[in-house]
């Protein structure tokens, strides 16, 4: 929709040309969420989509995904050498948005939104990723400040993150070892094309044999735990739900969502145990 | 900002606001193919290609199109390397051939999506269409157009492409199809006027509050603002947004702009400015000092003594009991129900409630008003009721009706919500006060929070039967939440009580219906008109009653449903204006029963429970006596010109009415030009397109007028010794004469009933309560089909809309009275991935009073599906019931885990 209060747009192709942030500024990446709602507080758009970061860079130690990497780029990347990467197309196709947004919507935008229904943060938590966060310099020439936080510590509630004013996500750094994991994603949604009401990612580490579960969608923000093989999975899910607030909205109440998490966790683990599982 | 790009192969340059999206930028520059359906990325109506990739142009910042190639539906054919013989893209040709549309509002976006390279990479049609919505077709026609038909058997003996002379019974293509598939300007928003002002309204943030003071100074001083109006600027004349002919009983409780807000979202001031953005910005500057008053959102609480009153003001009229928030009642008694219940072998009682469904026609409400040089107020509007809207405007502005013209171009769906004056009034106000053309278009949020909805109802039903399965007594006690304005409530109550209860033959009946004001978004007319809710309750009860007497539900219905020769009863006298007419309800029952039996339900598994259910339903063919229609037919040089006042709102009536005229005149379909939905076309006055009246009443009027003209033509041919009507026209024209026939003020003294039976098979997940539809079979008795394809579209579309009501759709109102889910993302309508194949079969007994034997079909399939689903779920759950619609997974789960 038209963002009626916007008075200016800046769209640098060089990160160094990003302006100092001031009140009324809004970062826009793909814009697929920003332009889908009224933005009464925004006066200027700072567009990150043209910044020439490498969408996906690989090194011996890690895989670095730029914040403005689009779903299309993420889906098109050749993940054959990095098996866990096959989770990305699955996660993307699990969004309620159309394939028509894939060339616009970005990983950073999804993370920045910090929805309970968000797709990327649970995936990155399951992969032990860290986010590189940048606060632009407050004056020209002054250095920007950069910090690295773990994906698990980034989101703190529904639409809440640790981002400070003006701070943005530059990149997502995933250790290469994590890509050796076997991942399974299971989701529940009210309808075939609606967003998730609950989601579970099960991950098995080939070296240690440890299995983790990342629960999201039903909770106010995602949580990951290592499975204790000696305890029934439902009880472990319940234990998490006792400490991490559940979500209640028109898509489902708390108790129901907890049931979904239990069911999905059981399903995901069963799929993980199957000999040739698909994500 | 300046945008320079390529649009459909041509250089394109335009100005836009920095925060504008591409959709509004393209439309403002005169490119009207991409449509505005939601502006939130959910409906896909706005789909265009950017450098060959499909995008939703409402989500794309306009500045991002800089230097890029934009393709819209207007350029689709040219962008295609292998156009078809019709010089169209193959997808366009497929939509035309399969008629993958009704109103056509979604079609450009649907085609731009399906034709795009990204679609080819999707695993399924459901995935391709995840970001597209269609509210009319029920998707089956779109699946056919996309080359993925459901493979269900043909609905009737005639082939879907048989169009012979284009008479009734032929599958004549929708006459608007060629326009629709190329994205030609066709809808109200596609015709902007020079110098046109745009409206934005200030809406109440409170459920109940009085304006102590309203300050428009800042808004008036804002850039581009031409006028701001509040309740201080208008004469306080009570009216109703509901449109009914004759002397309606609707509560007159609405004011152009009110000093009191009675629901969150009520409009209280209007700003007119040079652009829509400027109007919206200025609207945010209107400062209101509110006196917040207590509110009530629950109808039962609103009935209780001491509840806050919604309409205490004495100047409002036709309110049954304003001191108890009672809009109206519908009470009927037949026989002695109390004694019958007391004496019966078996009595079953159930209580149900239904959710608040929203129409979500994809074209929002929109009106453009202007003043002609001769002073006539003209309103172009997306309306179902041009003549009645004119009458309301006449009342509100105290202008004689003949000084007002209301007309509609193509309408992008209505489903009852456009049987109201919603945008016409303020657009007219601004045009009258400023002398400039003015347009008001609802946003999707406006539709969800401030247009109207289906009445949520709490329904208590009771039935009594003899041990042998004879139905003895039925009672229906229902409370409808009217919301903040009476609107259609009074008549909705009647339809709800009559249609559901007249369906069964028993000597004892009691009906007690009440419509209650609350401080919530108003409920209005919605396909089914109240009977959808009550039929749901009665049809669930019938299943349980059958079970209680130990009879199969099919047999119980067969035994107790009305029969061909019955009169219809809700009290001791047979209903005067209603008759059964042609009858094939029994055949419908037997057909659905046998089709379901042909597919035995799978065994239950560790994960899934299976269930099958069915329901019967009916719809009256318009309102007897009250609904007025007419037709004018003129002999022209090229054939005939049919002028009707009724409005094709995407239902195909312009096509089927022309088929009637062609047949009655002995002409070909191609020879009939049609004008509809215009108070100034010369067409006789018409009550409009609602209450399933178009076929049975307007259609009959067309037939009679055409027969009259045919007789005149034949007489004149004999007199003039000529062979063809064309020669006759030439001879008459040379003498300055014309030949025509007109039928005014036509009504049906008795309206017939159409019948439908629907059955579904589904499965329920044992632990999560998820319901998956496996199969849907329906049989319809709508008399002779005027156009099998149009009828199939109506049947499929109505059923899917009701499957949505049954399973998904509910506007949720919070304790503060606000709608909690006013977006398509949170208010979910059915999409292809949710739907089973729907098999439709028509039985075609000829109705003596309908045009060429036809009965009405538009609302017919709306009423049965919810009970069929609920009955199937109850079977799956071993007889336990989910008592509320929609049957969400969570509600099922609650029953499962109880
Ligand atoms: C129809 C539809 C369905 C959707 N369904 C889903 C869904 O199922 N699940 C879901 O999670 N989302 C959904 N979305 C929301 C959204 O489209 C996606 O989350 C998308 O990934 C957002 O990316 P974007 O680049 O378009 O974000 P933008 O709209 O550009 O930005 C989103 C937010 O993130 C901020 N932001 C952007 N980039 C950064 C950055 N680098 N650092 C910090 N903050 C930043 C922006 O300021 C803004 O607040 C849906 C949207 C639509 C229109
Ligand atoms: S108008 Fe763009 S998706 Fe609905
Ligand atoms: S034809 Fe699809 S919305 Fe009307």
């Amino acid at each position: 929709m038209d963002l009626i209060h916007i008075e200016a747009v800046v769209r640098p192709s060089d990160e160094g040309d990003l302006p100092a942030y001031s009140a009324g500024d809004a970062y826009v990446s793909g814009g697929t969420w920003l332009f889908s709602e009224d933005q009464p507080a925004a006066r200027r758009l700072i567009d990150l989509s043209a910044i020439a970061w490498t969408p996906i860079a690989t090194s011996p130690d890690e895989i670095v995904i730029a914040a403005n990497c689009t779903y299309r780029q993420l889906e098109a990347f050749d993940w054959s050498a990095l098996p866990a990467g096959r989770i990305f197309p699955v996660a993307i196709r699990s969004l309620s948005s159309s394939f028509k947004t894939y060339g616009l919507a970005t990983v950073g935008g999804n993370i920045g939104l910090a929805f309970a229904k968000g797709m990327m943060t649970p995936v990155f938590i399951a992969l032990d990723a860290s986010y590189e966060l940048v606060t632009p310099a407050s004056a020209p020439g002054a250095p920007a400040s950069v910090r690295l936080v773990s994906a698990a510590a980034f989101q703190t509630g529904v639409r809440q993150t640790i981002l400070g004013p003006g701070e943005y996500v530059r990149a997502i750094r995933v250790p290469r070892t994590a890509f050796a994991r076997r991942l399974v994603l299971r989701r529940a949604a009210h309808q075939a094309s609606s967003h998730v009401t609950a989601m579970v990612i099960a991950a098995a580490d080939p070296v240690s044999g440890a299995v983790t579960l990342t629960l999201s969608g039903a909770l106010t923000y995602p949580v990951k735990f290592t499975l204790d093989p000696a305890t029934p999975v439902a009880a472990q899910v319940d234990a998490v739900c006792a400490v991490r607030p559940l979500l209640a909205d028109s898509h489902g109440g708390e108790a129901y969502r907890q049931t979904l998490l239990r069911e999905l966790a059981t399903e995901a683990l069963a799929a993980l145990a199957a000999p040739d599982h698909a994500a | 900002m300046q945008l320079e790009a390529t649009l459909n192969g041509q250089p394109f340059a335009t100005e836009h606001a920095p925060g504008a999206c591409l959709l509004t930028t393209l439309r403002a520059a005169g490119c009207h193919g991409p449509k505005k359906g939601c502006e939130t990325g959910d409906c896909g109506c706005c789909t265009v290609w950017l450098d060959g990739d499909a995008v939703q142009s409402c989500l794309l910042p306009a500045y991002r199109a800089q230097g890029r190639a934009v393709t819209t539906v207007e350029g689709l054919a040219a962008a295609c390397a292998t156009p078809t013989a019709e010089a169209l893209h193959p997808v366009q040709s497929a939509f035309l051939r399969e008629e993958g549309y009704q109103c056509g509002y979604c079609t450009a976006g649907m085609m731009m999506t399906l034709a795009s390279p990204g679609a080819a990479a999707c695993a399924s049609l459901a995935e391709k269409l995840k970001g597209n919505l269609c509210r009319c077709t029920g998707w089956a026609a779109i699946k056919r157009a996309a080359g993925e038909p459901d493979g269900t058997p043909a609905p009737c003996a005639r082939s879907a492409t048989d169009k012979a002379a284009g008479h009734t019974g032929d599958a004549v293509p929708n006459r608007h199809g060629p326009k629709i598939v190329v994205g030609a300007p066709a809808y109200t928003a596609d015709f902007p006027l020079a110098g046109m002002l745009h409206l934005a309204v200030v809406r109440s943030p409170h459920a109940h509050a009085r304006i102590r003071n309203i300050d428009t100074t800042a808004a008036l001083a804002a850039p581009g603002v031409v006028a701001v109006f509040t309740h201080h600027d208008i004469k306080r004349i009570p009216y109703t947004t509901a449109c009914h002919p004759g002397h309606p009983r609707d509560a007159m409780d609405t004011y152009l702009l009110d000093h009191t807000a009675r629901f969150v979202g009520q409009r209280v001031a209007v700003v007119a400015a040079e652009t829509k953005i400027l109007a919206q910005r200025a609207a945010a500057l209107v400062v209101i000092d509110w006196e917040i008053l207590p509110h009530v959102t629950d109808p039962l609480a609103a009935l209780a003594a001491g509840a806050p009153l919604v309409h205490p003001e004495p100047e409002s009229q036709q309110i049954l009991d304003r001191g108890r928030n009672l809009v109206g009642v519908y009470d009927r008694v037949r026989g002695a129900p109390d004694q019958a219940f007391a004496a019966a072998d078996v009595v079953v009682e159930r209580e149900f409630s239904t959710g608040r469904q929203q129409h979500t026609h994809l074209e929002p409400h929109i009106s453009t008003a202007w003043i002609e040089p001769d002073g006539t107020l003209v309103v172009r509007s997306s309306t179902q009721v041009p003549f009645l809207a004119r009458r309301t405007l006449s009342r509100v502005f105290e202008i004689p009706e003949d000084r007002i013209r209301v007309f509609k171009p193509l309408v992008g769906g209505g489903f009852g919500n456009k049987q109201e004056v919603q945008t016409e009034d303020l657009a007219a106000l601004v045009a009258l006060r400023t002398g400039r053309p003015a347009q008001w278009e609802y946003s999707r949020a406006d539709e969800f929070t401030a247009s109207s909805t289906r009445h949520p109802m709490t329904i208590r039903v009771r039935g009594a039967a003899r041990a042998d399965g004879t139905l003895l007594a039925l009672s229906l006690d229902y409370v409808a939440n009217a919301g903040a304005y009476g609107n259609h409530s009074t008549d909705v109550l009647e339809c709800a009580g009559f249609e559901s209860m007249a369906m069964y033959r028993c000597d004892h009946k009691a009906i007690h219906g009440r419509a209650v004001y609350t401080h919530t978004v108003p409920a209005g007319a919605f396909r089914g008109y109240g009977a959808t809710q009550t039929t749901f309750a009665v049809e669930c009860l019938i299943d349980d009653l059958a079970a209680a007497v130990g009879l199969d539900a099919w047999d119980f219905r067969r035994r107790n449903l009305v029969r061909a020769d019955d009169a219809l009863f809700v009290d001791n006298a047979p209903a005067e204006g209603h008759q059964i007419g042609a009858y094939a309800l029994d055949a419908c029952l037997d057909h659905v029963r046998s089709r379901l039996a042909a597919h035995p339900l799978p065994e239950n598994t560790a994960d899934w429970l299976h269930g099958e259910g069915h329901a019967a339903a009916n719809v009256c063919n318009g309102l007897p006596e009250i609904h007025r229609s007419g037709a004018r037919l003129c002999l022209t040089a090229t054939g005939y010109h049919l002028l009707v006042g009724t409005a094709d709102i995407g239902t195909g009536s312009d096509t089927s009415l022309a088929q009637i005229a062609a047949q009655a005149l002995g002409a070909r379909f191609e020879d009939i030009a049609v004008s509809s939905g215009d108070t100034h076309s010369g067409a006789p006055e018409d009550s409009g397109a609602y209450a399933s009246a178009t076929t049975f009443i307007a259609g009959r009027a067309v037939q009679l007028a055409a027969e009259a003209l045919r007789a005149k033509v034949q007489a004149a041919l004999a007199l003039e010794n000529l062979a063809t009507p064309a020669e006759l026209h030439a001879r008459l024209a040379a003498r300055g004469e014309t030949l025509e026939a007109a039928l005014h003020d036509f009504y049906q003294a008795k309206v017939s009933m159409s019948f439908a039976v629907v059955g579904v098979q589904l499965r329920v997940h044992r632990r999560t309560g998820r319901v998956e539809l496996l199969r849907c079979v329906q049989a319809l008795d709508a008399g002779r089909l005027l156009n099998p394809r149009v009828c199939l579209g109506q049947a499929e579309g109505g059923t899917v809309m009701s499957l949505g009501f049954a399973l998904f759709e509910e506007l949720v109102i919070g304790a503060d009275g606000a709608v909690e889910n006013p977006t398509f993302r949170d208010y979910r309508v059915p999409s292809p991935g949710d739907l089973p194949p729907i098999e439709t079969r028509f039985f075609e007994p000829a109705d003596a009073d309908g045009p060429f034997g036809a009965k009405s079909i538009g609302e017919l399939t709306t009423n049965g599906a919810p009970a069929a689903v609920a009955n199937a779920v109850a079977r799956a759950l071993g007889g336990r019931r989910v008592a509320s619609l929609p049957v969400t997974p969570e509600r099922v789960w609650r029953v499962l885990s109880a």
Side-chain angles (χ1 to χ4, degrees), chain B residues 166-190:
Chain B
H167 289 175
T168 65
D170 297 339
V172 178
N174 184 323
R175 58 193 308 140
H176 303 299
K179 207 159 47 179
I180 288 169
V181 295
V182 299
Y187 305 88
T188 299
D190 302 344

Side-chain angles (χ1 to χ4, degrees), chain A residues 151-175:
Chain A
F154 177 78
Q155 192 172 343
T156 55
V158 179
R159 308 276 352 262
Q160 281 170 16
T161 68
I162 58 158
L163 285 174
E167 197 170 25
Y168 61 88
V169 182
R170 174 194 277 163
I172 298 94
R173 300 180 167 274
V174 188

Side-chain angles (χ1 to χ4, degrees), chain B residues 100-107 110 133-137 142 361-362 412-413 415:
Chain B
Y101 42 75
Q102 283 174 29
C103 78
Y105 199 78
C106 68
T107 312
M110 215 56 92
L133 296 176
C134 173
R135 194 54 157 168
C136 300
T137 60
I142 291 173
H361 38 77
L362 284 186
F415 312 119

Side-chain angles (χ1 to χ4, degrees), chain A residues 1-11 28-38 43-50 72 75 89-106 113 115 117 187-195 197 248-264 266-267, chain B residues 1 17-22 24-25 38-45 47 50 53-56 58-64 68 109 113-114 116-123 126-132 276-277 280-281 284 607 765 767-770 807-810 812 820-821 825-834 887-890 893:
Chain A
M1 64 180 63
D2 290 342
L3 301 184
I4 63 171
H5 298 292
I6 299 299
E7 286 151 7
V9 178
V10 283
R11 195 186 186 205
V28 54
S29 191
T32 60
W33 174 79
L34 208 78
F35 275 74
S36 77
E37 281 189 17
D38 191 22
R43 294 295 174 271
R44 179 172 71 162
L45 295 180
I46 303 178
D47 191 321
L48 305 174
S49 63
R72 167 133 347 122
E75 218 183 32
V90 176
I92 291 166
R93 303 269 161 180
S94 296
L95 289 157
S96 67
S97 43
S98 162
F99 75 87
K100 292 175 278 184
T101 63
Y102 295 174
L104 306 172
T106 65
L113 277 170
F115 282 136
K117 65 185 174 192
R187 66 191 287 268
H190 198 54
Q191 268 177 287
S193 60
S194 37
H195 62 68
T197 42
D249 61 17
S250 63
H251 295 259
E254 295 180 359
Y256 179 61
R257 283 181 134 122
Q258 185 166 344
T259 303
L260 291 178
L261 284 179
R262 276 194 229 118
E263 177 71 18
L264 295 173
T266 310
E267 273 182 32
Chain B
M1 287 170 81
C21 63
L22 183 63
T24 54
T25 305
C38 69
E39 299 180 83
T40 58
D42 296 280
C43 76
C45 291
T47 303
L50 191 67
D53 272 339
V55 294
Q56 285 139 296
C58 69
L59 294 179
L60 189 76
Y63 63 80
R64 290 241 182 111
R68 318 221 8 214
T113 303
L114 289 170
S116 74
C122 292
E127 191 176 319
K128 290 177 195 178
L129 295 177
K130 186 146 77 169
N132 288 74
K276 196 163 178 179
I277 289 183
Q280 287 171 331
R281 289 173 70 143
D607 291 335
H765 191 268
R767 290 177 303 281
T768 64
R770 195 150 64 90
L807 289 169
F808 312 122
E809 299 180 35
E810 181 168 30
V812 180
E820 287 183 356
N821 53 341
R825 218 155 310 153
D826 292 324
Y827 178 93
R828 300 295 309 181
V829 300
S831 60
D834 305 313
V887 179
T888 60
E890 184 170 12
W893 166 78

Side-chain angles (χ1 to χ4, degrees), chain B residues 623-808:
Chain B
L623 306 171
E625 302 222 11
I626 308 165
H627 196 105
R628 298 295 161 126
S629 187
R632 181 185 300 276
L633 268 150
C634 311
L635 180 66
T636 66
T638 53
Y640 301 91
H641 188 187
L642 169 63
L643 297 129
V644 287
T646 190
D648 186 337
I649 53 168
T651 47
S653 64
D654 282 351
T655 305
S656 24
L657 293 179
Q659 291 177 254
I660 294 174
Q663 181 160 346
L665 283 159
R668 294 174 312 156
F669 176 80
E670 288 78 7
D671 299 336
I672 315 289
V674 181
S675 302
S676 69
D678 185 343
T679 59
H680 275 44
S681 69
E685 179 148 354
D686 189 287
S687 299
Y690 64 90
S692 294
T694 305
T695 295
F696 196 73
I697 304 179
R700 183 70 170 168
V702 169
Q703 181 187 356
L704 296 175
E707 283 168 359
L709 182 58
R710 183 179 198 172
K712 283 189 183 182
V713 167
Q714 274 164 355
L717 286 173
L719 196 69
E720 305 278 346
N721 202 13
L722 293 172
T724 66
E727 291 167 10
L728 176 62
H729 179 267
R731 167 103 29 110
L732 294 176
R735 298 205 300 255
E737 292 172 19
T738 56
L739 195 60
E740 65 164 56
L743 179 63
H744 289 268
D745 219 20
F746 173 76
Y747 62 91
Q748 296 271 25
K750 269 189 180 296
V751 298
S752 300
M753 225 178 216
S754 303
F755 296 101
V757 175
V758 56
V760 301
Q761 293 177 337
L762 50 74
R763 61 181 194 167
V764 175
H765 191 268
R766 283 183 190 264
R767 290 177 303 281
T768 64
R770 195 150 64 90
V771 176
E772 279 184 14
L773 298 171
L774 302 173
R775 181 181 306 281
C776 177
V777 180
Q778 57 184 346
L780 279 72
D781 158 12
R784 284 283 162 77
L785 303 183
L786 293 179
N787 182 324
R789 196 138 65 157
V790 166
C791 292
L792 182 62
Q794 289 293 311
E796 292 169 337
T799 296
V800 169
M801 193 171 238
S802 264
L803 291 174
F805 181 52
L807 289 169
F808 312 122

